[in-house]
Amino acid sequence: MRITSPDPDARVPLAGVDLYDPVPYRDACQHTLWQTLREEAPVWWQKAPNGTGFWNFTRHADVDQLLKDHRRFSSEDGTILSSVGVGDAATGKTMTVTDPPRHAQLRNPVMQKLGRAMIRRCTEQLRAEVGGVVAPLLADRKGDFVGLMHRLPMAMLAPMMGIPEELREEIAHWSAVSIAPDEPGLTGGLDAHTAAREAHVHLLDLFGAAIRMRAGDPGDDVMTALTGLLLDGEPLTEWHVALNYYSLMMGAHATTPHVAGHIVTALVERPHLWSQVRAAPSLIPALVDEGTRWTSPTHHLVRRADVDTELGGQAVRKGDWLCGWVGSANRDHAVWDDPYEFRIDRGSNPHLGFGVGPHYCIGALVSRAALTVLFEILAEHVERFELPEEPRHLTSNWINGMARMDVVLHLGERS
């Protein structure tokens, strides 16, 4: 979605609004619509294409509560709009669609392998891997930035996840297809349904192969943590481990590459900010944090009511589907005085770009570290960015990303 900054008083008619349709997210910015909903109809009911209705919440306070309160709002039936009325086949098998307390049995051992201590241990390797991703762009001084960024999740996670080198490129490709099955540039012309199915099958096969290749070769990584894990006293099957790997890679591909792309577009429009960052690289973590709020890489997250309850003043029945619009929540004037400004000097930035609550993105620390390294490398060599043409955005109501973004780099060593 192309990100623009509407006038605070701008409104659009709400008649006929369809928040499910993925096409508007490709063709236009949705911030004026979300602003209208926050002000005029912060709880909005509509139906999915399969006829199942769902509640939409656009204010920060409501989305924050929806994501934090797992006792009332469950993740087990699915966490994205495509799950509405259908559910998720991985319920109870991956940490994404498992609620506490069972959720912690899966999450905690993996979190230890993706935490600060592991990141510090892997700092030099992470810098080398990210440097390898961006090296062709620096050498050619132009290229498809988004295409390269599809390699970033594998570069940042592979050392910590224990994925064999020979499988990484193929896993990176099919992960990108799984996130954006509507994009012909990734799918080779397959229709979306076929592409999504092919990606799912290929990824589970590849992760299964990785598990077998690593059998008998334990390491200090996620692979070893999962293969040695006992869930309710029972070891995970190979399929169970592969599903969790699939979930982790989807999370990484749904966030990191798209935050990187949208930060670059923001810097093209605000070259003075890039000059500030180059002069003071200590600002890069703040650039990444604000870039995550600005991007809101997942437009929405879904929960299902476990009890009769209320949210945002709306009565909700047990079994109802609820969608929290993260992209809207991260522009709420009730939280930020200037939500449509890209600022790297915010003292407090309570955005929901990585989620919140028990399902807060497990790879958030790794993502922040990788993005920080990426922009540190770019700051050393790139004086300014140029976009020779408008990026092509994903056809997705879930991921706020780009299918292609050609960029020209104007190089200049930092003084």
Side-chain angles (χ1 to χ4, degrees), residues 98-168:
T98 302
D99 288 332
R102 198 168 188 257
H103 169 260
Q105 295 181 52
L106 286 166
R107 181 182 175 96
N108 291 349
V110 174
M111 188 68 243
Q112 293 174 18
K113 307 303 179 186
L114 300 176
R116 288 185 173 85
M118 181 63 76
I119 293 170
R120 284 194 296 269
R121 195 179 314 166
C122 294
T123 295
E124 291 308 313
Q125 186 175 4
L126 180 62
R127 180 167 290 275
E129 294 277 359
V130 175
V133 169
V134 78
L137 189 64
L138 291 171
D140 296 339
R141 303 188 180 193
K142 63 180 181 179
D144 176 13
F145 187 82
V146 169
L148 283 177
M149 289 303 102
H150 285 316
R151 295 173 52 202
L152 188 59
M154 183 57 66
M156 72 188 196
L157 283 175
M160 301 175 196
M161 291 182 69
I163 297 174
E165 179 76 36
E166 54 266 45
L167 300 180
R168 294 178 185 180

Side-chain angles (χ1 to χ4, degrees), residues 263-281:
I263 287 177
V264 169
T265 60
L267 293 172
V268 168
E269 296 167 356
R270 302 164 182 81
H272 66 284
L273 287 183
W274 186 235
S275 297
Q276 290 177 28
V277 168
R278 294 195 81 204

Side-chain angles (χ1 to χ4, degrees), residues 9 24 57 72-73 125 180 215 239 270 323 336 343 348 374:
D9 296 323
F57 298 85
R72 292 194 296 155
F73 309 115
Q125 186 175 4
W239 181 68
R270 302 164 182 81
C323 180
W336 295 274
R343 286 179 45 192
S348 176
L374 171 67

Side-chain angles (χ1 to χ4, degrees), residues 52-366:
T52 304
F54 60 97
W55 297 106
N56 296 276
F57 298 85
T58 49
R59 288 179 175 171
H60 186 282
D62 295 336
V63 178
D64 183 75
Q65 189 175 358
L66 176 68
L67 300 183
K68 282 180 177 176
D69 193 344
H70 68 272
R71 291 178 178 84
R72 292 194 296 155
F73 309 115
S74 172
S75 299
E76 296 214 341
D77 288 306
T79 60
I80 59 177
L81 279 175
S82 60
S83 303
V84 169
V86 179
D88 193 305
T91 293
K93 300 178 179 67
T94 71
M95 62 190 77
T96 304
V97 285
T98 302
D99 288 332
R102 198 168 188 257
H103 169 260
Q105 295 181 52
L106 286 166
R107 181 182 175 96
N108 291 349
V110 174
M111 188 68 243
Q112 293 174 18
K113 307 303 179 186
L114 300 176
R116 288 185 173 85
M118 181 63 76
I119 293 170
R120 284 194 296 269
R121 195 179 314 166
C122 294
T123 295
E124 291 308 313
Q125 186 175 4
L126 180 62
R127 180 167 290 275
E129 294 277 359
V130 175
V133 169
V134 78
L137 189 64
L138 291 171
D140 296 339
R141 303 188 180 193
K142 63 180 181 179
D144 176 13
F145 187 82
V146 169
L148 283 177
M149 289 303 102
H150 285 316
R151 295 173 52 202
L152 188 59
M154 183 57 66
M156 72 188 196
L157 283 175
M160 301 175 196
M161 291 182 69
I163 297 174
E165 179 76 36
E166 54 266 45
L167 300 180
R168 294 178 185 180
E169 194 70 31
E170 200 172 356
I171 290 173
H173 168 72
W174 287 110
S175 295
V177 173
S178 186
I179 288 294
D182 293 295
E183 290 304 326
L186 292 172
T187 64
L190 295 174
D191 67 87
H193 179 75
T194 302
R197 186 181 67 245
E198 289 285 312
H200 184 79
V201 170
H202 278 286
L203 284 170
L204 289 178
D205 284 347
L206 287 163
F207 289 132
I211 294 163
R212 292 188 293 274
M213 290 169 69
R214 288 289 312 282
D217 180 26
D220 188 13
D221 51 43
V222 173
M223 180 79 73
T224 302
L226 283 174
T227 54
L229 178 67
L230 296 179
L231 185 64
D232 296 335
E234 296 293 330
L236 302 187
T237 65
E238 179 184 296
W239 181 68
H240 201 160
V241 174
L243 276 177
N244 277 278
Y245 257 69
Y246 181 94
S247 177
L248 287 166
M249 287 307 301
M250 290 306 97
H253 271 270
T255 52
T256 312
H258 308 298
V259 172
H262 277 294
I263 287 177
V264 169
T265 60
L267 293 172
V268 168
E269 296 167 356
R270 302 164 182 81
H272 66 284
L273 287 183
W274 186 235
S275 297
Q276 290 177 28
V277 168
R278 294 195 81 204
S282 61
L283 293 173
I284 290 176
L287 173 73
V288 169
D289 192 47
E290 175 69 349
T292 305
R293 181 195 74 88
W294 183 257
T295 305
S296 301
T298 50
H299 288 307
H300 73 261
L301 290 168
V302 163
R303 298 293 187 263
R304 196 172 188 189
D306 250 358
V307 294
D308 291 348
T309 186
E310 170 274 334
L311 182 63
Q314 174 63 52
V316 174
R317 301 296 300 272
K318 180 178 180 179
D320 281 359
W321 296 87
L322 304 92
C323 180
W325 289 93
V326 176
S328 173
N330 283 341
R331 294 294 195 280
D332 195 334
H333 277 92
V335 179
W336 295 274
D337 292 334
D338 51 359
Y340 297 113
E341 294 294 324
F342 189 106
R343 286 179 45 192
I344 58 175
D345 61 347
R346 296 187 187 276
S348 176
N349 205 359
H351 65 78
L352 307 177
F354 286 116
V356 72
H359 287 278
Y360 180 77
C361 177
I362 194 170
L365 290 175
V366 182

